[in-house]
Amino acid sequence: MADSTRASGAKKTGAKSTARTSTAKKTAAKATAKKATAKKTTAKKTTAKKATPKKATTKAAPRTAPAKVGSVAAAADRAGGERARRRTTPLLTGPSAEVPSTASSKGGSRTSSTSPRPPKPKKPSAPRQPRLTVVPGPDGAPPAATPTARRRPPARRSTSTASRPAARSTAAASRRSVSPAVAPAQPVATPGTPDSGQALVPGLAELLSVLLSAGQLTSRTLGQAAGAAAGEDWERRFAETLHFLQRRVKGDYAVDDFGFDRDFTTHTVFPVLRLLKDKWFRVEVRGIENIPADSGALLVSNHSGTVAIDSVITQLAIHDAHPQQRFLRMLGADLVFQLPVVGDVARKTGATLASNADAERLLRGGELVGVWPEGFKGVGKPFRERYKLQRFGRGGFVSAAIRSEVPIIPCSVVGAEEVYPMIGNMKTVARLLGAPYAPITPFFPLLGPLGLIPLPSKWIIEFGEPVDTASLGPAAAEDPMLVFELTDQVRETIQQTLYSVLVTRRSVFF
């Protein structure tokens, strides 16, 4: 019994020892695993420290105060050496410009836990030839800008005058330092003198060129327009105008008993009317040979146009077309000379009051006298009655021609009826103004002052064969039947001439 008890106790003891042994083995295995894990962790940390020395230095710095102070001092030394090296080292592109490596200085700041490794040998690089050679300034500093192939924007101008000579000298030194093989030779600018190709104010030369070209074009255009308006002999007319002004200043001009000023009419009124006659109405003159050269004659014409401009155009047409440039002395109504400005101008241009005494005096003096027997009845007739002659009155012009023994020349004017087509008459306004009529045209008073512009109708002035009165004798002027027959003959001649010209006219404006 005791033996069995001992045997069972021995078995239990062996089992316990076996369990202890297995537990010890497990503990040893765990210790071995921990050691292996620790070795791996140490290897990883070592590798990380070797790969990133900056991080290792940064991590190691907080451990001990002397290491932190040493790393800050080393960084300050490196920064100071780098600044000194940049100030003293010229900008070279050759192998001599390579900066020595700072791996040794960085390696000195590593912690003592890792062993320093020798630096890897660098691969030899192929030698390169320097392309530019830069000469440092007097103070040892490199120039502010180096010439490159790329075009850079111009630097801002400095407000201080002291820095300008230094900038110019630096720019001159940079130009001289450029190799001729790389950049073309350029003239060196002297201090205080701008470059010849540099504009002081950008765009000023172009603006002046444009203004000069515009001025030349404007002057050429105005000259051509003035020459076309004045005609081919504009130089002669310009010289005559200058002489006219000199005579007016000196008072060297003459006026006859009726107030006619030839000098004023030729150089003041006729040039203005000539633009209307030649350029606007394009007047065509026919039968100018029927007007005598130097003797007196009575010109009888139809009257039309709402505004009596046909008389002055006829006067200018005779002066320009006749070989002797004769002046037509016009007989006007009382209303013409009652107007403040128109009356004075009419007197100076040769017009006089329509009376038998004045007409006979001019005719006996060898003047060419013009009369329009229709008066305001012909000028103010409606457009529907155009080119239909009104009553010629009592024939006072015929009796004046018979007493003066001068021929009567019928004149027909075609084109004046269409200048201001009269489609209505404001009789109330005419009575208030004291005028014979107040016209209404397609453009007046609807367009106001623009309605006063005459329409550019085509004019034809034809002078008929003269009617002889010298064979009748001065006493025939007292015979009313003879005067009436002669008046009707002149009126019928003018009417038939108007009809024949209207048939041959192509259109109103061409």
Side-chain angles (χ1 to χ4, degrees):
M1 190 68 141
D3 295 334
S4 60
T5 302
R6 290 177 183 174
S8 60
K11 288 180 181 179
K12 288 180 181 181
T13 303
K16 287 181 181 181
S17 63
T18 304
R20 288 176 183 173
T21 304
S22 61
T23 302
K25 289 181 179 180
K26 289 180 181 180
T27 303
K30 287 181 181 181
T32 306
K34 285 182 180 181
K35 289 181 180 180
T37 304
K39 289 181 179 180
K40 289 181 181 181
T41 304
T42 305
K44 287 182 180 180
K45 287 182 179 181
T46 305
T47 306
K49 288 180 181 180
K50 290 180 180 180
T52 56
K54 291 184 179 180
K55 291 182 180 181
T57 306
T58 306
K59 290 180 180 179
R63 293 181 182 177
T64 55
K68 181 177 180 179
V69 174
S71 62
V72 172
D77 294 340
R78 289 197 302 274
E82 187 67 23
R83 291 193 192 97
R85 190 181 300 106
R86 288 180 181 177
R87 288 198 188 101
T88 56
T89 304
L91 299 179
L92 299 178
T93 57
S96 59
E98 296 179 359
V99 180
S101 174
T102 58
S104 58
S105 60
K106 291 183 180 179
S109 62
R110 294 178 184 176
T111 57
S112 58
S113 59
T114 57
S115 60
R117 289 187 176 183
K120 296 181 180 180
K122 295 183 179 180
K123 296 181 180 180
S125 58
R128 292 178 295 178
Q129 296 296 332
R131 291 177 295 178
L132 299 176
T133 304
V134 180
V135 180
D139 55 348
T146 55
T148 56
R150 186 185 303 175
R151 185 177 181 180
R152 297 183 179 179
R156 296 182 180 178
R157 294 186 177 181
S158 176
T159 55
S160 61
T161 57
S163 61
R164 291 180 182 175
R168 291 194 185 100
S169 61
T170 305
S174 62
R175 293 192 192 99
R176 288 193 299 268
S177 62
V178 178
S179 175
V182 178
Q186 297 179 356
V188 179
T190 58
T193 304
D195 295 339
S196 60
Q198 182 181 2
L200 297 179
V201 180
L204 181 60
E206 290 79 0
L207 180 60
L208 292 177
S209 178
V210 170
L211 292 178
L212 182 60
S213 302
Q216 292 177 352
L217 180 61
T218 304
S219 62
R220 190 182 301 111
T221 304
L222 293 178
Q224 292 176 357
E232 297 179 355
D233 54 346
W234 66 272
E235 294 181 354
R236 178 183 60 80
R237 294 180 180 178
F238 182 72
E240 291 178 354
T241 303
L242 292 180
H243 291 305
F244 163 74
L245 295 176
Q246 293 177 357
R247 289 192 299 270
R248 302 307 288 192
V249 172
K250 296 178 180 179
D252 186 12
Y253 59 92
V255 180
D256 64 359
D257 297 338
F258 297 92
F260 176 48
D261 190 348
R262 294 173 180 263
D263 203 17
F264 174 81
T265 304
T266 304
H267 298 94
T268 304
V269 180
F270 280 178
V272 178
L273 295 176
R274 193 170 284 112
L275 294 176
L276 289 175
K277 181 182 78 72
D278 297 337
K279 305 300 180 182
W280 194 253
F281 297 136
R282 307 173 304 280
V283 177
E284 179 182 351
V285 179
R286 300 176 183 176
I288 191 66
E289 65 276 1
N290 294 323
I291 297 178
D294 51 1
S295 60
L298 181 64
L299 183 72
V300 182
S301 176
N302 62 314
H303 216 16
S304 60
T306 307
V307 179
I309 62 174
D310 53 351
S311 58
V312 293
I313 295 297
T314 303
Q315 179 191 26
L316 179 59
I318 294 174
H319 179 270
D320 291 348
H322 200 275
Q324 278 71 32
Q325 296 183 348
R326 299 204 63 180
F327 289 93
L328 179 64
R329 307 298 297 272
M330 300 171 290
L331 300 178
D334 299 343
L335 181 61
V336 176
F337 301 98
Q338 292 175 0
L339 299 175
V341 179
V342 178
D344 296 338
V345 175
R347 284 286 184 184
K348 289 182 176 295
T349 55
T352 186
L353 190 63
S355 63
N356 286 344
D358 291 347
E360 291 176 9
R361 185 179 175 185
L362 289 172
L363 290 173
R364 291 192 182 101
E367 297 289 345
L368 181 63
V369 181
V371 63
W372 290 262
E374 293 180 281
F376 291 112
K377 294 180 296 182
V379 178
K381 63 177 177 289
F383 186 69
R384 62 178 180 274
E385 298 179 5
R386 61 190 181 277
Y387 299 114
K388 293 180 180 180
L389 297 181
Q390 304 297 313
R391 183 174 175 268
F392 269 20
R394 296 185 298 268
F397 66 93
V398 175
S399 60
I402 292 175
R403 291 189 184 96
S404 303
E405 298 180 349
V406 295
I408 299 175
I409 303 173
C411 177
S412 304
V413 180
V414 175
E417 295 277 10
E418 292 84 9
V419 173
Y420 296 107
M422 185 174 174
I423 59 178
N425 185 12
M426 298 179 290
K427 296 182 179 180
T428 304
V429 177
R431 284 195 296 269
L432 293 175
L433 296 177
Y437 57 90
I440 299 177
T441 67
F443 305 104
F444 181 84
L446 181 62
L447 299 180
L450 294 178
L452 299 177
I453 300 176
L455 297 179
S457 59
K458 171 68 177 178
W459 284 33
I460 299 175
I461 302 177
E462 184 171 343
F463 303 100
E465 295 182 359
V467 179
D468 184 28
T469 61
S471 59
L472 300 177
E478 304 299 332
D479 187 356
M481 293 300 296
L482 180 62
V483 171
F484 178 76
E485 289 179 0
L486 197 57
T487 301
D488 190 64
Q489 178 185 352
V490 173
R491 179 180 180 277
E492 190 65 23
T493 302
I494 296 174
Q495 184 69 73
Q496 295 300 324
T497 305
L498 289 175
Y499 287 154
S500 62
V501 174
L502 287 173
V503 171
T504 58
R505 186 176 65 167
R506 295 185 302 171
S507 65
V508 176
F509 301 104
F510 300 100

PDB file of all heavy atoms in Angstrom, residues 398-418:
ATOM      1  N   VAL A 398     -40.367 148.424-123.111  1.00  0.00           N
ATOM      2  CA  VAL A 398     -40.294 148.582-124.561  1.00  0.00           C
ATOM      3  C   VAL A 398     -40.176 150.060-124.926  1.00  0.00           C
ATOM      4  O   VAL A 398     -39.378 150.439-125.804  1.00  0.00           O
ATOM      5  CB  VAL A 398     -41.537 147.953-125.217  1.00  0.00           C
ATOM      6  CG1 VAL A 398     -41.546 148.220-126.724  1.00  0.00           C
ATOM      7  CG2 VAL A 398     -41.559 146.461-124.958  1.00  0.00           C
ATOM      8  N   SER A 399     -40.947 150.888-124.264  1.00  0.00           N
ATOM      9  CA  SER A 399     -40.864 152.322-124.547  1.00  0.00           C
ATOM     10  C   SER A 399     -39.488 152.875-124.194  1.00  0.00           C
ATOM     11  O   SER A 399     -38.948 153.741-124.900  1.00  0.00           O
ATOM     12  CB  SER A 399     -41.958 153.072-123.775  1.00  0.00           C
ATOM     13  OG  SER A 399     -41.796 152.878-122.377  1.00  0.00           O
ATOM     14  N   ALA A 400     -38.856 152.373-123.110  1.00  0.00           N
ATOM     15  CA  ALA A 400     -37.510 152.833-122.755  1.00  0.00           C
ATOM     16  C   ALA A 400     -36.496 152.404-123.805  1.00  0.00           C
ATOM     17  O   ALA A 400     -35.569 153.163-124.141  1.00  0.00           O
ATOM     18  CB  ALA A 400     -37.119 152.285-121.393  1.00  0.00           C
ATOM     19  N   ALA A 401     -36.627 151.218-124.371  1.00  0.00           N
ATOM     20  CA  ALA A 401     -35.710 150.755-125.413  1.00  0.00           C
ATOM     21  C   ALA A 401     -35.900 151.549-126.697  1.00  0.00           C
ATOM     22  O   ALA A 401     -34.917 151.860-127.401  1.00  0.00           O
ATOM     23  CB  ALA A 401     -35.919 149.269-125.664  1.00  0.00           C
ATOM     24  N   ILE A 402     -37.162 151.886-127.022  1.00  0.00           N
ATOM     25  CA  ILE A 402     -37.406 152.645-128.243  1.00  0.00           C
ATOM     26  C   ILE A 402     -36.821 154.047-128.114  1.00  0.00           C
ATOM     27  O   ILE A 402     -36.195 154.564-129.058  1.00  0.00           O
ATOM     28  CB  ILE A 402     -38.919 152.691-128.524  1.00  0.00           C
ATOM     29  CG1 ILE A 402     -39.428 151.292-128.889  1.00  0.00           C
ATOM     30  CG2 ILE A 402     -39.232 153.661-129.663  1.00  0.00           C
ATOM     31  CD1 ILE A 402     -40.932 151.213-129.062  1.00  0.00           C
ATOM     32  N   ARG A 403     -36.985 154.699-126.966  1.00  0.00           N
ATOM     33  CA  ARG A 403     -36.427 156.040-126.776  1.00  0.00           C
ATOM     34  C   ARG A 403     -34.902 156.011-126.804  1.00  0.00           C
ATOM     35  O   ARG A 403     -34.265 156.945-127.292  1.00  0.00           O
ATOM     36  CB  ARG A 403     -36.909 156.621-125.450  1.00  0.00           C
ATOM     37  CG  ARG A 403     -38.391 156.955-125.420  1.00  0.00           C
ATOM     38  CD  ARG A 403     -38.727 157.736-124.154  1.00  0.00           C
ATOM     39  NE  ARG A 403     -40.165 157.989-124.040  1.00  0.00           N
ATOM     40  CZ  ARG A 403     -40.990 157.252-123.340  1.00  0.00           C
ATOM     41  NH1 ARG A 403     -40.531 156.185-122.649  1.00  0.00           N
ATOM     42  NH2 ARG A 403     -42.279 157.560-123.289  1.00  0.00           N
ATOM     43  N   SER A 404     -34.296 154.955-126.269  1.00  0.00           N
ATOM     44  CA  SER A 404     -32.828 154.862-126.249  1.00  0.00           C
ATOM     45  C   SER A 404     -32.276 154.280-127.537  1.00  0.00           C
ATOM     46  O   SER A 404     -31.035 154.280-127.725  1.00  0.00           O
ATOM     47  CB  SER A 404     -32.368 153.995-125.072  1.00  0.00           C
ATOM     48  OG  SER A 404     -32.855 154.492-123.841  1.00  0.00           O
ATOM     49  N   GLU A 405     -33.131 153.747-128.405  1.00  0.00           N
ATOM     50  CA  GLU A 405     -32.745 153.186-129.699  1.00  0.00           C
ATOM     51  C   GLU A 405     -31.717 152.050-129.527  1.00  0.00           C
ATOM     52  O   GLU A 405     -30.675 152.028-130.175  1.00  0.00           O
ATOM     53  CB  GLU A 405     -32.175 154.268-130.629  1.00  0.00           C
ATOM     54  CG  GLU A 405     -33.191 155.360-130.965  1.00  0.00           C
ATOM     55  CD  GLU A 405     -32.619 156.412-131.886  1.00  0.00           C
ATOM     56  OE1 GLU A 405     -31.371 156.409-132.102  1.00  0.00           O
ATOM     57  OE2 GLU A 405     -33.383 157.229-132.396  1.00  0.00           O
ATOM     58  N   VAL A 406     -32.036 151.135-128.647  1.00  0.00           N
ATOM     59  CA  VAL A 406     -31.196 149.959-128.390  1.00  0.00           C
ATOM     60  C   VAL A 406     -32.025 148.704-128.673  1.00  0.00           C
ATOM     61  O   VAL A 406     -33.266 148.718-128.556  1.00  0.00           O
ATOM     62  CB  VAL A 406     -30.679 149.951-126.937  1.00  0.00           C
ATOM     63  CG1 VAL A 406     -29.734 151.125-126.690  1.00  0.00           C
ATOM     64  CG2 VAL A 406     -31.821 149.967-125.955  1.00  0.00           C
ATOM     65  N   PRO A 407     -31.384 147.611-129.052  1.00  0.00           N
ATOM     66  CA  PRO A 407     -32.132 146.384-129.337  1.00  0.00           C
ATOM     67  C   PRO A 407     -32.655 145.726-128.054  1.00  0.00           C
ATOM     68  O   PRO A 407     -32.117 145.918-126.960  1.00  0.00           O
ATOM     69  CB  PRO A 407     -31.117 145.506-130.046  1.00  0.00           C
ATOM     70  CG  PRO A 407     -29.793 145.973-129.553  1.00  0.00           C
ATOM     71  CD  PRO A 407     -29.945 147.452-129.312  1.00  0.00           C
ATOM     72  N   ILE A 408     -33.699 144.899-128.199  1.00  0.00           N
ATOM     73  CA  ILE A 408     -34.260 144.108-127.100  1.00  0.00           C
ATOM     74  C   ILE A 408     -33.859 142.652-127.310  1.00  0.00           C
ATOM     75  O   ILE A 408     -34.132 142.092-128.391  1.00  0.00           O
ATOM     76  CB  ILE A 408     -35.791 144.250-127.042  1.00  0.00           C
ATOM     77  CG1 ILE A 408     -36.183 145.715-126.802  1.00  0.00           C
ATOM     78  CG2 ILE A 408     -36.367 143.374-125.935  1.00  0.00           C
ATOM     79  CD1 ILE A 408     -37.687 145.946-126.856  1.00  0.00           C
ATOM     80  N   ILE A 409     -33.231 142.050-126.297  1.00  0.00           N
ATOM     81  CA  ILE A 409     -32.733 140.664-126.392  1.00  0.00           C
ATOM     82  C   ILE A 409     -33.589 139.790-125.488  1.00  0.00           C
ATOM     83  O   ILE A 409     -33.540 139.939-124.250  1.00  0.00           O
ATOM     84  CB  ILE A 409     -31.256 140.571-125.994  1.00  0.00           C
ATOM     85  CG1 ILE A 409     -30.403 141.497-126.873  1.00  0.00           C
ATOM     86  CG2 ILE A 409     -30.767 139.131-126.083  1.00  0.00           C
ATOM     87  CD1 ILE A 409     -28.969 141.591-126.447  1.00  0.00           C
ATOM     88  N   PRO A 410     -34.407 138.883-126.029  1.00  0.00           N
ATOM     89  CA  PRO A 410     -35.190 137.977-125.185  1.00  0.00           C
ATOM     90  C   PRO A 410     -34.293 136.889-124.575  1.00  0.00           C
ATOM     91  O   PRO A 410     -33.382 136.366-125.228  1.00  0.00           O
ATOM     92  CB  PRO A 410     -36.224 137.393-126.129  1.00  0.00           C
ATOM     93  CG  PRO A 410     -35.649 137.569-127.491  1.00  0.00           C
ATOM     94  CD  PRO A 410     -34.708 138.726-127.447  1.00  0.00           C
ATOM     95  N   CYS A 411     -34.545 136.584-123.318  1.00  0.00           N
ATOM     96  CA  CYS A 411     -33.749 135.585-122.586  1.00  0.00           C
ATOM     97  C   CYS A 411     -34.694 134.582-121.939  1.00  0.00           C
ATOM     98  O   CYS A 411     -35.693 134.977-121.308  1.00  0.00           O
ATOM     99  CB  CYS A 411     -32.893 136.266-121.530  1.00  0.00           C
ATOM    100  SG  CYS A 411     -31.938 135.126-120.502  1.00  0.00           S
ATOM    101  N   SER A 412     -34.386 133.293-122.056  1.00  0.00           N
ATOM    102  CA  SER A 412     -35.197 132.203-121.497  1.00  0.00           C
ATOM    103  C   SER A 412     -34.330 131.395-120.542  1.00  0.00           C
ATOM    104  O   SER A 412     -33.254 130.915-120.932  1.00  0.00           O
ATOM    105  CB  SER A 412     -35.737 131.301-122.613  1.00  0.00           C
ATOM    106  OG  SER A 412     -36.467 132.071-123.549  1.00  0.00           O
ATOM    107  N   VAL A 413     -34.818 131.251-119.295  1.00  0.00           N
ATOM    108  CA  VAL A 413     -34.090 130.522-118.246  1.00  0.00           C
ATOM    109  C   VAL A 413     -34.897 129.289-117.893  1.00  0.00           C
ATOM    110  O   VAL A 413     -36.052 129.389-117.459  1.00  0.00           O
ATOM    111  CB  VAL A 413     -33.865 131.396-116.997  1.00  0.00           C
ATOM    112  CG1 VAL A 413     -33.108 130.608-115.934  1.00  0.00           C
ATOM    113  CG2 VAL A 413     -33.116 132.670-117.362  1.00  0.00           C
ATOM    114  N   VAL A 414     -34.296 128.115-118.066  1.00  0.00           N
ATOM    115  CA  VAL A 414     -34.932 126.836-117.749  1.00  0.00           C
ATOM    116  C   VAL A 414     -34.139 126.187-116.609  1.00  0.00           C
ATOM    117  O   VAL A 414     -32.912 126.076-116.699  1.00  0.00           O
ATOM    118  CB  VAL A 414     -34.969 125.903-118.972  1.00  0.00           C
ATOM    119  CG1 VAL A 414     -35.517 124.533-118.583  1.00  0.00           C
ATOM    120  CG2 VAL A 414     -35.811 126.524-120.075  1.00  0.00           C
ATOM    121  N   GLY A 415     -34.853 125.755-115.562  1.00  0.00           N
ATOM    122  CA  GLY A 415     -34.226 125.102-114.420  1.00  0.00           C
ATOM    123  C   GLY A 415     -34.450 125.832-113.113  1.00  0.00           C
ATOM    124  O   GLY A 415     -34.344 125.219-112.035  1.00  0.00           O
ATOM    125  N   ALA A 416     -34.762 127.132-113.177  1.00  0.00           N
ATOM    126  CA  ALA A 416     -34.964 127.889-111.945  1.00  0.00           C
ATOM    127  C   ALA A 416     -36.289 127.555-111.281  1.00  0.00           C
ATOM    128  O   ALA A 416     -36.448 127.782-110.073  1.00  0.00           O
ATOM    129  CB  ALA A 416     -34.899 129.388-112.245  1.00  0.00           C
ATOM    130  N   GLU A 417     -37.250 127.048-112.025  1.00  0.00           N
ATOM    131  CA  GLU A 417     -38.552 126.713-111.428  1.00  0.00           C
ATOM    132  C   GLU A 417     -38.442 125.564-110.417  1.00  0.00           C
ATOM    133  O   GLU A 417     -39.247 125.471-109.490  1.00  0.00           O
ATOM    134  CB  GLU A 417     -39.543 126.316-112.530  1.00  0.00           C
ATOM    135  CG  GLU A 417     -39.889 127.427-113.497  1.00  0.00           C
ATOM    136  CD  GLU A 417     -40.979 128.346-112.967  1.00  0.00           C
ATOM    137  OE1 GLU A 417     -41.314 128.223-111.768  1.00  0.00           O
ATOM    138  OE2 GLU A 417     -41.472 129.182-113.737  1.00  0.00           O
ATOM    139  N   GLU A 418     -37.469 124.681-110.578  1.00  0.00           N
ATOM    140  CA  GLU A 418     -37.333 123.510-109.705  1.00  0.00           C
ATOM    141  C   GLU A 418     -36.412 123.740-108.512  1.00  0.00           C
ATOM    142  O   GLU A 418     -36.168 122.817-107.733  1.00  0.00           O
ATOM    143  CB  GLU A 418     -36.814 122.313-110.503  1.00  0.00           C
ATOM    144  CG  GLU A 418     -37.785 121.771-111.526  1.00  0.00           C
ATOM    145  CD  GLU A 418     -37.739 122.521-112.837  1.00  0.00           C
ATOM    146  OE1 GLU A 418     -36.825 123.346-113.001  1.00  0.00           O
ATOM    147  OE2 GLU A 418     -38.612 122.280-113.703  1.00  0.00           O
TER     148      GLU A 418
END
